[in-house]
Amino acid sequence: LVTPGQVVIAGDGTLYVSASLVDHRNDGLDRLWGRVPTEILLLVSRDGGATFEPRIASDPATGGPNWLPSLERPTGRNRVGTPGLIYTSG
């Protein structure tokens, strides 16, 4: 589990965490940038971070790296219910 990623707390108190999930057994952590396989992990907690529900947000069938996740964040008057998640694929 590596970053870049974000943490967002929605208006209802739900905690969302995005991160990259990398298998580094063969390459080491120093060579993980854009490596295959890299998948996007979304962790969701509705109890203040005591427990998390993990979700693989990217499609492992693409065959390429999925990386640089970004969660939508509230800014100013912009309220966010369930934050949108975008990431780079390929």
Side-chain angles (χ1 to χ4, degrees), residues 41-68:
L41 179 65
L42 180 64
L43 300 169
V44 180
S45 177
R46 291 183 170 77
D47 57 10
T51 62
F52 284 91
E53 177 186 334
R55 303 175 188 172
I56 299 294
S58 56
D59 182 2
T62 63
N66 297 289
W67 49 325
L68 299 175

Side-chain angles (χ1 to χ4, degrees), residues 12-64:
D12 66 357
T14 302
L15 179 64
Y16 296 88
V17 179
S18 67
S20 297
L21 191 59
V22 178
D23 182 353
H24 62 84
R25 288 176 288 185
N26 296 326
D27 290 330
L29 286 175
D30 59 330
R31 301 183 65 205
L32 60 82
W33 189 251
R35 304 298 289 173
V36 176
T38 303
E39 301 302 335
I40 302 302
L41 179 65
L42 180 64
L43 300 169
V44 180
S45 177
R46 291 183 170 77
D47 57 10
T51 62
F52 284 91
E53 177 186 334
R55 303 175 188 172
I56 299 294
S58 56
D59 182 2
T62 63

